[in-house]
Amino acid sequence: MVLAEKPNISDDTFSLDPAVLDELISHLSTLAAIYHKPPSTFVSQGRKAAPGLGGRADDDDDDDEGNTLTSDMMTEGAEGAQAAPPAMPAPQVMDLLGGLMDDPPDAAPANPMGGMGGMGGMGGMMGGGAPPAGGGLGGGLDDLFGGPPAPSAAAGAAAPAGAKLVLPADKGEGMQVRTAFVKDGQGRLCQSYTVENNGGVPLSGFALQFNKNTFGVVPESPGKLGEVLPQQLMPGQSATGLVPLLPTGQPAADTPPGVIQVALKNSVKVFYFQDSMDVLLFLASDARMDKNVWLEQWKSLTNENRTDAQGLSPQSENVEAVCPKMEAANVFFIARRKLPDGADMVYFSSKTLNNVAMLVELGFRPGTGTCSISIKSAQGLYMPLLAESLQKILRS
């Protein structure tokens, strides 16, 4: 045995192609290291997942397909269009407009998403998909604790009386918007939105932001519009929802009186328009004063706005007919007195939702078709608006 012929010891490690050798090194813990062959030479390419694994291979294919669809959606559209990102809670306080809306709303900037001073981030910060109407946490908690329910969307509902066309379909890339400032069933100040989808793609991810305005009103939250409208508005559909407004912003005297400029975002881009609000909707329902308090304030105020309503009908000069109209508008009767010259002087009190008191004196001179209107307030911002609205009441 010891003297028998021995076989030669040889090493074929370096006889392999370097590329194959590198591949084998990367598979040291597999059968490839034993066979000294790449896995592709002995593993079947058409192997499917075992039935017991629940079709895992098919699931992987589905995932790849889903990723492709997502990529297509993210690149679809033009001029700032973007796909709706996953829904996430909307921030409660956000200054997104800055001073952008100084330009007329009709002259939309070429790149509105980039020029919003923060509005361009609405797609990621506010969430593209809104919760189903009436199904959000806010509505459920309100109902649980006995509070007022959140306004819900009315699919296909017509716009309320007096709604204005603020965004025609040709300027909204198929989306048409009508708005109206109203009071809801609980007496809250709201803005009604009727959105019509006259385009060819579904709309979602609704959110809005107000520019600084005379009243300092802001939406309850930027994403509230998405909560009161359907989660998705298909082509040919329309829906109406109420967005509660809060008087928590800073009133701006350097903006057009009574005008509210709005930026509305959907899954396509951001659109701009404006609407005007009657100051009567901004009056509180608890503004009735004691006569002595009213008289004391009237004497102490020096800031006064005086105007005349002319061309009134005999019915409009009837104090008994005018007072109920004033009360319905939250302008409350305080006192009445007759002057020796026959003039009928009537006094009223009012207060805005941000606690600015305005005292009113109406002077009727029957048979002349004229009524003098005198308004006093510590702040002059709302007096011209109230004088204009009171003239409308007298002529109604």
Side-chain angles (χ1 to χ4, degrees), residues 17-383:
D17 184 79
V20 175
L21 183 61
D22 290 341
E23 184 175 357
L24 291 177
I25 292 175
S26 66
H27 295 287
L28 285 177
S29 61
T30 65
L31 289 176
I34 298 177
Y35 293 147
H36 286 193
K37 295 179 180 180
S40 59
T41 62
F42 59 86
V43 176
S44 173
Q45 298 298 322
R47 183 172 61 87
K48 297 182 179 181
L53 297 178
R56 178 64 180 175
D58 294 340
D59 292 345
D60 292 340
D61 293 341
D62 292 342
D63 291 343
D64 293 340
E65 181 179 355
N67 292 335
T68 303
L69 291 175
T70 303
S71 300
D72 293 341
M73 292 171 63
M74 292 298 293
T75 57
E76 184 179 4
E79 295 186 11
Q82 63 182 41
M88 62 188 299
Q92 295 300 310
V93 178
M94 191 183 305
D95 183 11
L96 299 176
L97 283 177
L100 177 74
M101 304 282 293
D102 293 338
D103 295 329
D106 290 342
N111 185 12
M113 294 296 287
M116 282 297 293
M119 181 65 83
M122 289 178 71
M125 299 178 69
M126 293 185 184
L137 285 176
L141 288 175
D142 286 341
D143 295 341
L144 179 64
F145 292 103
S152 59
K164 305 173 188 174
L165 178 61
V166 293
L167 184 68
D170 59 339
K171 294 185 178 181
E173 298 190 10
M175 180 180 70
Q176 183 165 283
V177 180
R178 297 178 185 271
T179 63
F181 292 98
V182 297
K183 291 289 185 72
D184 67 1
Q186 287 78 39
R188 295 180 296 177
L189 176 61
C190 298
Q191 189 178 24
S192 168
Y193 280 82
T194 299
V195 181
E196 304 173 22
N197 185 356
N198 297 322
V201 298
L203 299 177
S204 60
F206 297 100
L208 57 89
Q209 187 73 29
F210 287 1
N211 197 8
K212 57 183 181 179
N213 55 79
T214 310
F215 306 104
V217 294
V218 296
E220 187 176 89
S221 68
K224 193 63 179 182
L225 182 60
E227 298 178 20
V228 301
L229 292 179
Q231 187 173 12
Q232 193 172 58
L233 201 61
M234 303 301 294
Q237 289 184 340
S238 66
T240 298
L242 291 180
V243 176
L245 306 181
L246 304 177
T248 56
Q250 181 66 35
D254 58 345
T255 59
V259 174
I260 297 179
Q261 299 169 330
V262 181
L264 189 154
K265 167 193 170 292
N266 63 16
S267 51
V268 177
K269 58 187 280 188
V270 179
F271 301 90
Y272 310 95
F273 55 86
Q274 67 181 27
D275 197 358
S276 58
M277 186 173 74
D278 193 326
V279 70
L280 296 179
L281 289 169
F282 196 56
L283 298 183
S285 59
D286 60 346
R288 193 183 302 277
M289 289 185 183
D290 178 78
K291 293 180 182 180
N292 294 328
V293 174
W294 187 98
L295 183 59
E296 182 179 348
Q297 290 195 17
W298 180 267
K299 292 179 178 179
S300 65
L301 293 171
T302 58
N303 194 11
E304 184 175 8
N305 178 282
R306 297 184 64 89
T307 185
D308 289 332
Q310 298 179 345
L312 301 180
S313 65
Q315 182 66 19
S316 297
E317 295 179 311
N318 186 342
V319 175
E320 286 75 12
V322 171
C323 285
K325 297 178 183 179
M326 302 284 281
E327 293 270 344
N330 288 333
V331 181
F332 299 99
F333 174 81
I334 299 297
R336 176 186 183 183
R337 71 189 179 102
K338 294 233 179 185
L339 299 182
D341 62 358
D344 205 348
M345 311 302 292
V346 191
Y347 304 95
F348 302 86
S349 66
S350 64
K351 182 181 67 175
T352 64
L353 293 178
N354 56 358
N355 293 316
V356 176
M358 290 186 286
L359 310 184
V360 178
E361 177 192 72
L362 298 183
F364 295 92
R365 288 167 176 80
T368 65
T370 302
C371 176
S372 63
I373 302 174
S374 178
I375 303 173
K376 286 189 174 184
S377 177
Q379 297 183 21
L381 186 59
Y382 305 115
M383 292 194 300

